Structures are given as C-alpha cells and as structure tokens.
Amino acid sequence: MEPLYTPQGVEERWQRTWEEEGLYKAGAGARREETFVDAHPPPNVTGELHTGHALQLALGDAVVRTKRMQGFDVLFQPGYDHAGISTQNAVEKHLAKEGTSRQELGREAFVERTWAWLHEYGGTIMTQFRRIGASLDYSRERMTLDPEYTRAVMRFFVHLYRKGWIYRANRIINWCPHHRTSLSDLELIHADVDDTLSTIRYPLADGSGHIAIATVRPATIPGDVAVAVHPDDERYSHLVGKEAIVPFVERRVPIIADERVEPDFGTGALKITPGHDPKDFEIGRAHGLPEPMAIGPDGLMSDLVPELAGLTQKEAEGRILDWCKERGQLEEREHYRHSVALCERCHNRIEPLISLQWWCAMGELKQPALAALRERRVRFHPESQHRFAIDSLENAPDWCISRQIWWGHQLPLWECPNGHVTCEESDPDACAECGSPELARSEDVLDTWFSSALWPFATLGWPDRTPELARYYPGDLQTTGREIIRLWENRMIFAGLELMGEIPFEDVVIHSTVLARDGRRMSKSLGTGIDPREVIGTHGADATRYGLLKMSSTQDVRFSDSMLEEGRKLTNKLWNVSRLLLTDAGSVEPDESPGSLEERWILARLEQTRAAIEETFARFDFAEAANQLYHLTFDDFCDWYAEAIKPRLSEPAVRGTALAALERLLKLLHPVLPHVTEEIWAQFHESRLIVAPWPEPDDSYAADLHALDRVQEAAAIFRRSGVAVELEGDEQR
RNA sequence: GGGCGCAUAGCUCAGCGGGAGAGCGCUCGCUUCACACGCGAGAGGUCCCUGGUUCAAUCCCAGGUGCGCCCACCA
C-alpha cells in the first residue's frame, strides 16, 4: 500500500467489478424480504452529467447502499427520458449541419434518424452515472420511448380518455415559433428584455375624440377586437359602450369594461387582442368577442391583413407605427423593460396563439394525490417543499398534453372524415362511431412528462402484471431538484394512484441547488457550469460524493472546493490508518473482543455513530452524516484510538480488535465513500463490502461511552506532558 | 404582485433559548518509524440593524436593510 491514496484507476476497477459480479442488480445481497426502491429521475437521453445529477446520485446512492447492506432487496432503477423537444432539437441541429432538415426527411425518416443518432451519440450519461459509483441496476435500464414503455403510455392515455378527462379545446396556448409546437407553462423560462412601450390613440367612432392605449406589440393591432377599461375608472366611464376605431385596419370595435384591466398601468385603457395575449383571450371569451389571428404559427404576419401577410412582426410594427405617426395617433414611444416568456429549449420568444390542443382535466385526477400529500402518506423533505407540492397541485390547471413535434409518443387518436374521434391503444380498423375505415391518426405527440409520470411502474413492466411490478411497487425514495416537483413528482403521484391504486413512493428528498463558486446559478449560457466529470477526474468519485453531501444541507449552496478537499483528505486518512493496521497483520483475524478501555471506547463510538448515521439518514440530513463520519474517522479513530494502540499493535489481541473496529468503520463509511472502503476491505476480505452486513444495533458497549471524556482527557495530558495517566476502566462501569 | 429561503471567524458553511463551532486559509512549533493530503499549539467573531418576549436570545416574535430562488396574464 502506497502512502498516498490515488482514486484514479481504483474507482473504475471497483465500478466494473461490482457491476460484473452482479452486485448492482436488484436484490443483490438481500437477506430479508422487504424491498427498498429508488426509481431514479431519468435524465435526458441526450444529456451530459451536471452537478445536479451528481448530487442527487450521491444522495440516493448513499441511502441505497445503506439499505443494501442492511439486507433489503434493493432496486435502484436507472434509465432515460426520451426528452421530446430537447432531443428533436439536438437532432435538428445535427441535420442542419448536414444541410438537410426534418421537413426534408419527412416524419418517418426523421424518427428513424433520431434513433440512429441516439445509438451513436446518446446514452452517454449512464457511463457518467457509473463513474460516480452509482449502484443503479444498469441491466434494467429503460427509456420512456421503448416499445414496452410506449404500451404503458398508450394505456394511460386511453384510460384517461375513457374516463372523459382528455378533451380538445381551442384556447390560447404558449407557442414556440421555432419548434412550431405548443408548450405548457412549465416549459417556459422568463427573461427581462428591453422593449418599447408605444402609446397610440384610437379615435372614437362618433368623432368625439380618442382613447389612448399603451402596447409593446403594435404588430398585434390588426387583431384588436375591443378596447377595455376598468369598470371603476372614472376617466373612461363615459366611453364604455361607445366604439373606437382600430388604427391601420380602421375597424370599429366596442369599448368595454372589465375588472381584469389594471387602471394604473399605461393609460389605463387596454387594447384587446384575444388571439395573441392570454389575458386578452380571457377578457375576449368573457365578452363573446371574435378571435382573429394577426400572427401565424410561423411567427410571421398572417393574411388577416393582406398587405401585411408574410411580413415579420418587426416590419409590420414599422408600417403600423408609420401609419399612426402620419395621422398624429402616435402619442409616445418610451423605453420599457419587462419580462417575457421564452422557450426553455431554444430561448425564442413565445408567441401566445389560439390553437386547438388536447388537454388533460386535472380536477378529479389530482384529488387522490392531494389526499395522499395532505395525509402525509407521501412526504416531501424539507417541509417547506411539502407545502409547495400541495399548493402546486391544488392550483394545477388543466394540462396541455399535445405537442406538434415528431419525437415522442404519437397520440392514440384517429379521426374519420365525419369528424369522429376514435381512441384505441393500437390502430383501429374503423371509426368507433360511424364505422368509416378512413382514419387519420393525430399528428401530435404527447408532452414528454406524460410518459415520465409512469416511471415508477412502467419501468417494472406495467401494464403487464409482472413479478417485478408486484415486488417493487410501491417504491420508497425519490431524490430530486425543486424545479421538478410540479413537472414530475406530483404527476407520478397522481398517475400511480390512478393506475396502480397506490402511491409510488413515500419520501421525496428535494436537495439543495448547487450554485457556482461565485454564487450565481450554474448555467451553460452564463458559462458558470462546473463539470462534475472533471471534478471526479481530479478529486475522485469518493471525494466528490463526500463534498456534494456536505453541500447538500441548506437550500442553495455555493460549490465549494474545500468540501471536496475535505473528502479527499478523509479518503487519504482512512487509507493510511488502514496501512497502519493492515501492514504486517500476519494471520491475525478481526476479533471483536475488547480488552482495554480505549478499545471498548472506540467500539462504543462506532456503535454510537452507527445509530447517529441511521438517524441522520432517516431525516435526510446528509451533510450532518458526512460531518459525523469525518470526525469519527479523523478525531476518534485515527487521532485517539489508533494513536493509543499503536505501541501495542504487535499483540495479536490488540491487532484483532483493531481490525474488527476497522471493519465497522469501513461499513459506516461505505455508503458515502464506496470505492476506497471496498479497496481497503479487499486487503483482508474475500467477500465484498458493498453487500457486507451493516452493523446491527448493539448496546453492549454503551456503558463504556461515559469513559470517553476521561480517555480523551488522559490522552490530552499525555500528549502535552508525556506522562501516562492511569485509567481504571472497570470502575467506570 | 404572491410564496419560500438566506444574512454567524478572511473564505465556504454548521449550530439555534443558557458555554460561539467545523473545514479551508493564517501564525508558531514539529524531516515523531500510517499519513507533511500529516501532528501539536494558537490568533481571529458588537452571531446584519432596531425594537419586543424571557431570569436569560446568535437562536423565539415584529419591523427594517441587503441578497437569492420559485411562482404570477400588468398591456
């Protein structure tokens, strides 16, 4: 054994060995009937490991490894999300480089190309999961677009459809002109942009003056169908019921009163464009107004006004403003900074459009999940996130589940020429209503999260009643980030209750967000990301896991190199104390029969820490667990115990107890530092630590703990003075 | 505009009603035979501000200030 522990090579070797020996597999080392299941969040199939993944793996794996050692039948489920828009994006970029496009290829060829592309470039992240030592059962890897998984998605859709919870509606939705698809509110990001607020006069139809409105989007003026003011706004009450003339198109529209208008903003009068603004849409529907569309799905001007058709919004805005200016109707142009919605994938500005989409009604579907959360049968940790999960679900609007892209699960809906819709899991022969054989399948695919919602049981073979499903559902634990609570966690809960009749898991650990070193958010676009692969490469997976656990305590933590460094020192310290105890050990076997006070004391401390670790893990306080392990190793095991017995190591009894104590220490450390502990374990065992039995509760040393203070005191005196202090151990009992 | 969280040693963070802590950094001393990625000793803090509750507050409460995150349809 070298004096300097080098994780490189050692870690990869154990990762291969564990997997090759089947020790990552579900049930490996199980010594009891109870199961423990963590269906790990499936990363995007095109994704690369980021710090968030690394953290949730470190947390989940620490728990999973503990449970495995405790003899549970453990399933740590890995896999991929097909990630509809994200993957389609990546492949489209690739195609653009080749000078072609998905439109040119056509749907079928595009989907084929995407599969091929994934086989070549996708799926690398599981390699990175392996490299951090995550003991997932890689032999059970699933992907949400696998044929078997797709069956589950179809079954879910048909189930909801037959319950009458899936419906089609023409509403305003978030439209990404780049992807040419609808997006749910949860797929947007918001950004502040510099804009211009124009105040424009709308002449009154009776020629008695004008009413001025403020807008940031003059290009939507052709879609105006009303001007609205607040009912209590005395400035305008005399105008309500009159008509105004929309500039440029010179259309007469009513002036209406609606409480949704904010009297303090702009002029207090709002132009109503139901086709291009969610609030206007609401007001429009409430007043029964028409919904003309001035802008098309491509983001360009529609043929609503022939002379503007095909122009960009910018160009149309210029024409319209010029028109107003010439007639003295442009009152003011002022700088205005505000927040706009962007597509989270391409960062293009969202175009609110009215569009016919499929929706999933949430009203009834969410009720059992709400009950489960309120009754705490499912618990989010920390508590603040539990409240957030409930609030989010209570306020969850109906879910827009259709997307106009090609990569994903095509809706199992067929329409006949008479407009009847048939919903079947697989190709129907004829329309269910009129028997027409001419059926056209919906072009839309499902929101990616629709399939993710089934993860805890679709990965186990549902809708078939497989033995795995019976054994591993319901599961136990989820470790994930805040941003995914509404998108995924809540949806797994209601899908699980609806289809399986049981909650999918009991505990959801919402971990901290790791910020960049400077406290900013880690993001690719800011260039603030920290690549965990590099960190693992330089510090090792063990040190990285330890560091991440230490960073996991509060809500948001800056990435801290010193936490990793602490982990690295811990591995090295452990390595070296093991050298001391294992070198020249001869044929001495671990033998836990303590003689001296310090021996009884270290065994008691190990036992005490075992209980403490179990308790902190149960609270999901991983930072505290890491802290306790650090001090147990450094202060107690190395500085006190090892120093105390060092002069007597040649005595077989002393050595035997030391090896027994080391065994216990390695077991406690293994869930956090799996590699270095397994490497040391292998120095004196044929068996594998990963499936070694976790220490059983044992109170036989508890009585020795009270001697702690005296031992430390005596040792401190000895160090300062060189004078040994006699301790009458037995008299302490 | 709502919701949540954070402000403690130079840095990153624990603690949370009665003694102010860890790791790193810093100072001093150790080529001690497991480890200099080490050992020992030490310096360093009006625990953001102002009030309140209490015998007692860094910790509880109210307000303020400064940050951060999430949610939201102010054109």
Side-chain angles (χ1 to χ4, degrees):
Chain A
M1 292 173 84
E2 297 297 315
L4 185 62
Y5 174 67
T6 46
Q8 292 78 12
V10 173
E11 293 184 339
E12 289 93 329
R13 194 176 73 242
W14 283 114
Q15 287 153 12
R16 278 195 306 274
T17 305
W18 287 324
E19 196 173 346
E20 281 167 13
E21 293 182 353
L23 301 173
Y24 282 172
K25 287 199 173 180
R31 297 184 309 280
R32 52 163 102 178
E33 266 304 298
E34 300 108 292
T35 58
F36 186 83
V37 180
D38 179 347
H40 196 73
N44 288 357
V45 66
T46 56
E48 299 280 351
L49 189 73
H50 63 239
T51 310
H53 293 130
L55 175 57
Q56 57 195 232
L57 283 168
L59 303 178
D61 199 51
V63 176
V64 158
R65 283 182 183 264
T66 307
K67 294 290 177 179
R68 191 181 289 115
M69 292 174 78
Q70 289 172 341
F72 286 86
D73 177 348
V74 167
L75 168 59
F76 196 11
Q77 174 70 47
Y80 292 107
D81 194 305
H82 70 280
I85 294 173
S86 185
T87 302
Q88 177 155 326
N89 227 9
V91 175
E92 284 198 62
K93 268 186 200 162
H94 189 74
L95 292 177
K97 273 186 204 156
E98 292 180 3
T100 181
S101 68
R102 75 174 160 119
Q103 287 79 7
E104 223 165 280
L105 286 177
R107 182 167 191 151
E108 204 172 322
F110 175 78
V111 170
E112 253 172 58
R113 276 299 299 270
T114 304
W115 279 111
W117 187 86
L118 284 178
H119 285 129
E120 193 168 348
Y121 302 102
T124 57
I125 199 171
M126 280 306 141
T127 311
Q128 297 156 5
F129 277 21
R130 285 178 171 92
R131 186 58 192 87
I132 201 165
S135 60
L136 293 146
D137 183 354
Y138 298 97
S139 71
R140 297 191 49 80
E141 186 184 300
R142 296 289 186 272
M143 205 261 262
T144 52
L145 206 51
D146 288 340
E148 310 80 57
Y149 201 106
T150 298
R151 274 181 58 222
V153 176
M154 296 297 110
R155 178 68 59 93
F156 183 34
F157 187 95
V158 172
H159 175 93
L160 294 173
Y161 190 89
R162 296 203 172 141
K163 280 212 153 185
W165 293 345
I166 286 183
Y167 64 93
R168 186 158 46 170
N170 207 24
R171 287 185 190 157
I172 195 146
I173 46 102
N174 305 301
W175 183 263
C176 172
H178 174 256
H179 288 108
R180 302 278 189 102
T181 182
S182 58
L183 296 172
S184 81
D185 292 345
L186 304 180
E187 291 166 302
L188 312 181
I189 54 169
H190 295 267
D192 284 339
V193 298
D194 289 302
D195 224 326
T196 306
L197 186 66
S198 305
T199 305
I200 296 170
R201 291 179 178 175
Y202 283 39
L204 298 174
D206 62 10
S208 65
H210 66 265
I211 182 164
I213 59 89
T215 179
V216 288
R217 299 189 62 195
T220 64
I221 284 176
D224 286 355
V225 294
V227 171
V229 297
H230 192 94
D232 302 335
D233 193 334
E234 290 173 4
R235 292 172 296 175
Y236 298 119
S237 50
H238 65 288
L239 296 178
V240 174
K242 289 190 174 187
E243 287 186 313
I245 297 172
V246 178
F248 198 77
V249 291
E250 304 197 275
R251 182 165 59 233
R252 292 161 76 109
V253 297
I255 298 172
I256 58 174
D258 192 287
E259 289 181 343
R260 280 163 278 218
V261 178
E262 187 58 60
D264 296 333
F265 186 87
T267 62
L270 175 64
K271 75 186 196 68
I272 300 299
T273 320
H276 302 291
D277 181 278
K279 184 170 176 175
D280 292 7
F281 175 80
E282 257 186 54
I283 295 176
R285 285 259 162 125
H287 294 264
L289 297 169
E291 297 167 354
M293 308 282 287
I295 295 161
D298 51 7
L300 301 176
M301 299 307 290
S302 73
D303 54 9
L304 181 69
V305 180
E307 55 184 298
L308 296 177
L311 295 186
T312 65
Q313 293 182 41
K314 193 83 194 157
E315 290 163 348
E317 179 178 318
R319 297 246 193 127
I320 292 167
L321 287 176
D322 284 346
W323 190 97
C324 294
K325 204 181 292 174
E326 283 166 18
R327 286 158 183 79
Q329 293 183 33
L330 180 60
E331 240 176 48
E332 200 180 355
R333 298 261 290 156
E334 55 180 325
H335 173 83
Y336 182 57
R337 192 171 170 80
H338 66 141
S339 163
V340 298
L342 308 178
C343 170
E344 69 172 350
R345 297 300 170 189
C346 66
H347 290 203
N348 279 295
R349 200 153 160 177
I350 288 298
E351 193 62 58
L353 286 183
I354 296 176
S355 164
L356 193 59
Q357 300 287 342
W358 289 94
W359 302 78
C360 176
M362 293 304 302
E364 288 182 67
L365 182 54
K366 70 185 180 186
Q367 294 309 326
L370 274 171
L373 286 168
R374 292 190 184 120
E375 292 159 18
R376 309 188 67 76
R377 284 180 281 133
V378 179
R379 297 170 295 273
F380 282 74
H381 311 269
E383 183 59 28
S384 56
Q385 301 304 331
H386 191 80
R387 292 196 303 273
F388 174 69
I390 292 177
D391 286 353
S392 307
L393 199 52
E394 279 173 348
N395 299 318
D398 283 359
W399 179 11
C400 178
I401 53 175
S402 50
R403 297 288 181 278
Q404 289 66 49
I405 57 173
W406 290 347
W407 179 244
H409 305 94
Q410 203 169 343
L411 269 59
L413 293 171
W414 285 263
E415 196 165 348
C416 77
N418 298 322
H420 303 135
V421 173
T422 302
C423 177
E424 292 287 346
E425 282 180 43
S426 50
D427 269 346
D429 297 325
C431 172
E433 280 188 57
C434 66
S436 166
E438 284 178 59
L439 294 173
R441 185 167 188 172
S442 166
E443 297 275 311
D444 292 354
V445 301
L446 286 160
D447 178 8
T448 289
W449 297 101
F450 190 88
S451 55
S452 320
L454 312 180
W455 190 247
F457 43 96
T459 49
L460 297 170
W462 187 88
D464 292 338
R465 298 205 154 281
T466 61
E468 292 85 357
L469 185 64
R471 182 151 189 79
Y472 295 117
Y473 192 92
D476 300 87
L477 179 69
Q478 289 277 308
T479 57
T480 195
R482 272 196 295 283
E483 68 280 4
I484 235 88
I485 292 175
R486 301 187 311 160
L487 285 166
W488 194 46
E489 298 296 338
N490 279 349
R491 288 170 177 167
M492 281 191 289
I493 299 170
F494 67 64
L497 283 162
E498 179 62 28
L499 297 172
M500 296 294 297
E502 285 183 272
I503 53 166
F505 38 73
E506 294 182 354
D507 294 297
V508 184
V509 174
I510 302 301
H511 58 70
S512 51
T513 301
V514 180
L515 304 171
R517 292 180 179 89
D518 59 6
R520 286 187 297 168
R521 203 175 168 70
M522 280 197 204
S523 95
K524 265 187 195 165
S525 52
L526 287 174
T528 50
I530 292 167
D531 187 346
R533 292 172 295 171
E534 269 175 43
V535 175
I536 294 167
T538 48
H539 296 82
D542 284 338
T544 303
R545 293 165 61 115
Y546 177 90
L548 288 171
L549 255 52
K550 279 251 38 200
M551 288 177 230
S552 72
S553 54
T554 58
Q555 277 235 331
D556 297 320
V557 193
R558 297 183 186 202
F559 187 88
S560 161
D561 295 288
S562 74
M563 302 275 184
L564 291 177
E565 196 53 27
E566 200 176 309
R568 216 161 63 85
K569 288 189 174 181
L570 179 59
T571 59
N572 196 59
K573 189 72 176 173
L574 181 68
W575 179 254
N576 277 296
V577 79
S578 302
R579 286 177 63 214
L580 169 71
L581 301 180
L582 291 167
T583 305
D584 301 324
S587 58
V588 176
E589 291 289 319
D591 176 11
E592 197 168 298
S593 42
S596 64
L597 180 59
E598 63 267 22
E599 288 172 342
R600 295 206 309 270
W601 170 73
I602 191 61
L603 290 166
R605 276 291 295 135
L606 284 159
E607 164 58 12
Q608 188 185 41
T609 307
R610 174 205 60 75
I613 295 295
E614 288 178 14
E615 192 263 330
T616 51
F617 271 30
R619 287 202 327 262
F620 307 108
D621 187 354
F622 298 98
E624 176 59 19
N627 202 35
Q628 288 183 11
L629 289 169
Y630 182 91
H631 290 290
L632 173 72
T633 307
F634 256 83
D635 302 349
D636 299 335
F637 198 89
C638 296
D639 289 359
W640 299 100
Y641 172 67
E643 289 296 336
I645 62 163
K646 195 154 56 172
R648 295 185 288 127
L649 263 180
S650 56
E651 298 171 29
V654 172
R655 178 81 73 157
T657 307
L659 294 184
L662 179 62
E663 275 187 349
R664 281 186 178 245
L665 180 66
L666 292 174
K667 286 179 177 181
L668 298 183
L669 290 168
H670 182 262
V672 177
L673 307 173
H675 308 88
V676 67
T677 51
E678 187 78 84
E679 178 73 2
I680 295 166
W681 184 265
Q683 310 282 325
F684 62 129
H685 294 84
E686 296 292 323
S687 62
R688 297 286 178 243
L689 177 56
I690 185 176
V691 287
W694 184 256
E696 290 296 322
D698 178 353
D699 58 6
S700 59
Y701 303 114
D704 296 317
L705 259 185
H706 64 252
L708 170 76
D709 291 344
R710 291 199 59 210
V711 172
Q712 293 193 334
E713 198 181 313
I717 293 168
F718 176 75
R719 283 190 180 160
R720 287 203 189 95
S721 62
V723 177
V725 178
E726 289 293 322
L727 274 177
E728 295 298 328
D730 288 332
E731 109 194 348
Q732 297 293 323
R733 298 192 83 121

